[in-house]
Amino acid sequence: MIKQTTITYAMLLAAFATYAQSGPSPENILITPEKPLSVKETEFRKQVFEWSSKQLQLTDYKQIKAHPSAEVFPGKVKEGAKMITRTVKISHTRINDALVPIVSRLQYSQPWRPTLYSTGLYAAAGEYIEVTLPKELLGKGIQLQIGNHSDNLNFWMAGKEDWRRMPAIVKEQELKTATTRLASPFGGLIYISAPVKSDSWSGDIKISHAVAAPLYQEGLTTPEQWKEQLKDNKAPWGELASDKVILTLPDSILQQVTDPSYVMQLWALIVSGEMDLAQLPQPFYRPQRMVIDEQIGGGFMHSGYPIMIHHSPSRNLLSADVITNPMRLMTGSKGGANWGFFHEIGHNMQNLDWVFGGTTEVSCNFFSLYMFDRLMGGRDDAHHGVSNEETMKMMKKYFQEGADYEKWKANPFLGLIMFRQLQEAFGWETFKKFFREYQAMAAVDPEGKNLKRDEQKRDMWAGTFSKVAGRNIAPFFEKWGIPISESMKKELTNLPEWIPYNFPPKN
């Protein structure tokens, strides 16, 4: 009896051990849009994130194996892919000192993230790549990055959602020796990066054991070369690039781009148009970057370097099919992907000195409206929130209940009406003059030390706009419920007051 019990117990232990080995673990979990990792799996998600982070920090490429989830996202390299060696010419230009104060106030753009330089190469998941630097580039803080889906899903809004991909999949490693081998369990496009403020340099960097990936460079890549890249492509991702913007896109979308020059010229109009409104000097210190992703840290899209853009058919979050389609990109979508693109680039244009309480999600939409006005011939179908019907509905309700700053701050499209009235009365050129004034202030006060409090920012907004417009808008702000200090109101008494017709609306 004792012998039989012992045998049974041993069999149970063996069965349990077999189950434990075959059950999910951080190194073998398969996370996909169809089989997400539930937000309820708190402890296991923590383990998965910690495992991913440690793997991405490993410098011994021999310890790194391909992760199963990488086959789904970012995707596996196609059968028949050849490992190649390519020497890429990379030139890094240090940001101009005169631009530093201006850029320092564009915090939503993540201005000091290292600048990424595309190589047109892809690292297969679990496979090493070898990088060789010329001697003159050693010791300059140059890094290699694998992947550009840089959002960490363990925080912000994604931390409270089911995960549809692994939470951290981008590898960064400084190149400290002449030759370095490194690998990522997830794979990704290969980049060389350098700190924005580091000294300029240029050199030939050799990358071996990598897969060719589509890279269209406006002004350099011919139509024939682009067709050839797509024809032989085995990489799941590639890029369209110009000096204004770089789009990181899946192969399925790139295969549909038959005229990349037209697409990039349109995007150049968009980015240069928004920069023109912001009165930022062009050419800028680096292109905007926009990356399509299955899941991002929060929202449909978000600003930064890069701008991250949701495209998840399983969640009906669609944008990749618009970003390279000029007809869809230039058609009003009532707040769809094109409004979102303009909105997020607008965030990257926001100077924190003129972003006061309640306007983070308001003043970025100056740029959305500007794009619809200048590129699409008007605001029809731009967004439901700026329609005539919704505008009057919001205004009447707000003023009937009594203007209140806290209520104003809670509704971005209500807040936008106030600035729309200013734009309709004084024009976009007045806004440009207004933005130039703030750049002059940044040159004197690059850290914004004189505009830390909300009261200071509100006063400066009303005061600066009044001076460039030649009319006192402080009473207009106060009608809307936006407090202005007595000292600023006194300072503006030498200008004639301005209030729009039929405001607040009486009918």
Side-chain angles (χ1 to χ4, degrees), residues 200 213 262:
S200 300
Y262 181 50

Side-chain angles (χ1 to χ4, degrees), residues 131-148:
V131 189
T132 303
L133 288 181
K135 292 180 182 178
E136 60 269 21
L137 295 188
L138 290 174
K140 293 185 177 295
I142 298 171
Q143 288 194 322
L144 187 133
Q145 180 171 310
I146 298 177
N148 203 6

Side-chain angles (χ1 to χ4, degrees), residues 134 189 348 424:
L189 288 168
N348 280 6
E424 289 162 6

Side-chain angles (χ1 to χ4, degrees), residues 371-383:
M371 285 298 97
F372 274 90
D373 285 354
R374 295 301 168 92
L375 281 182
M376 298 188 179
R379 303 171 188 180
D380 289 352
D381 295 328
H383 196 293

Side-chain angles (χ1 to χ4, degrees), residues 10 23 50 196 209 213 216 252 274 324 330 361 423:
E50 290 178 349
V196 175
H209 208 248
Y216 174 83
S252 59
E274 297 209 22
T324 58
M330 296 297 290
E361 295 299 329
Q423 187 276 320

Side-chain angles (χ1 to χ4, degrees), residues 337-389:
N338 49 11
W339 176 276
F341 298 146
F342 305 157
H343 172 101
E344 299 306 339
I345 297 171
H347 273 305
N348 280 6
M349 303 292 129
Q350 283 176 308
N351 179 324
L352 290 192
D353 290 342
W354 47 255
V355 178
F356 62 84
T359 64
T360 295
E361 295 299 329
V362 175
S363 54
C364 60
N365 283 329
F366 299 169
F367 301 88
S368 301
L369 294 174
Y370 188 72
M371 285 298 97
F372 274 90
D373 285 354
R374 295 301 168 92
L375 281 182
M376 298 188 179
R379 303 171 188 180
D380 289 352
D381 295 328
H383 196 293
H384 174 67
V386 299
S387 67
N388 291 340
E389 180 183 0

